[in-house]
Amino acid sequence: QVQLVESGGGSVQPGGSLRLSCAASGVPGFMFSLIGMGWYRQILGKERELVATIGSSRTTKYADSVKGRFTISRDNAKNTVLLQMNSLRFDDTAMYYCNAKLSDNRDVWGQGTQVTVSS
């Protein structure tokens, strides 16, 4: 069973940077490389929204609001997906969730990591 654990959240001032990490377990390395991975975020009371995704071929997709500021990457040797967040803004404050899209279209979610941007 695939499990995801996020880390790297915290508090930062506007303009600062954070790097989120998502570690996947319960899946062989060669299988992890085939899984589409992504980061989503959610503000209390609002729907969860896509931040960035990365496919098995490392094709990436970003929400318009984070293009040019965030970078998603994956390290298949470590079963890890990273989200480098630069030039953080107040409206980036949210709970960030890692997502795995399995071959049968099931979604697996991590427990989330809080990112707070405040002065």
Side-chain angles (χ1 to χ4, degrees):
Q1 184 176 356
V2 180
Q3 292 185 322
L4 304 175
V5 178
E6 303 98 333
S7 60
S11 294
V12 64
Q13 293 185 337
S17 298
L18 284 174
R19 188 174 76 164
L20 305 184
S21 179
C22 171
S25 61
V27 57
F30 75 94
M31 291 294 294
F32 176 79
S33 67
L34 301 177
I35 297 174
M37 301 294 297
W39 287 95
Y40 291 71
R41 66 187 181 188
Q42 187 171 22
I43 301 170
L44 193 63
K46 293 190 175 182
E47 290 188 359
R48 194 169 295 186
E49 65 176 13
L50 179 147
V51 176
T53 61
I54 184 166
S56 57
S57 60
R58 299 181 188 272
T59 300
T60 58
K61 177 182 176 181
Y62 295 93
D64 288 342
S65 59
V66 307
K67 283 180 181 177
R69 301 187 299 120
F70 292 10
T71 302
I72 188 170
S73 61
R74 64 190 301 160
D75 185 341
N76 291 332
K78 296 181 179 179
N79 282 18
T80 299
V81 176
L82 303 175
L83 184 68
Q84 178 66 43
M85 305 186 295
N86 299 328
S87 302
L88 283 161
R89 310 185 310 211
F90 290 119
D91 60 359
D92 293 318
T93 296
M95 184 71 79
Y96 284 71
Y97 295 90
C98 182
N99 169 267
K101 180 73 74 175
L102 303 185
S103 58
D104 58 1
N105 278 329
R106 281 186 297 129
D107 283 301
V108 177
W109 296 94
Q111 83 287 352
T113 185
Q114 178 68 37
V115 171
T116 301
V117 183
S118 67
S119 55

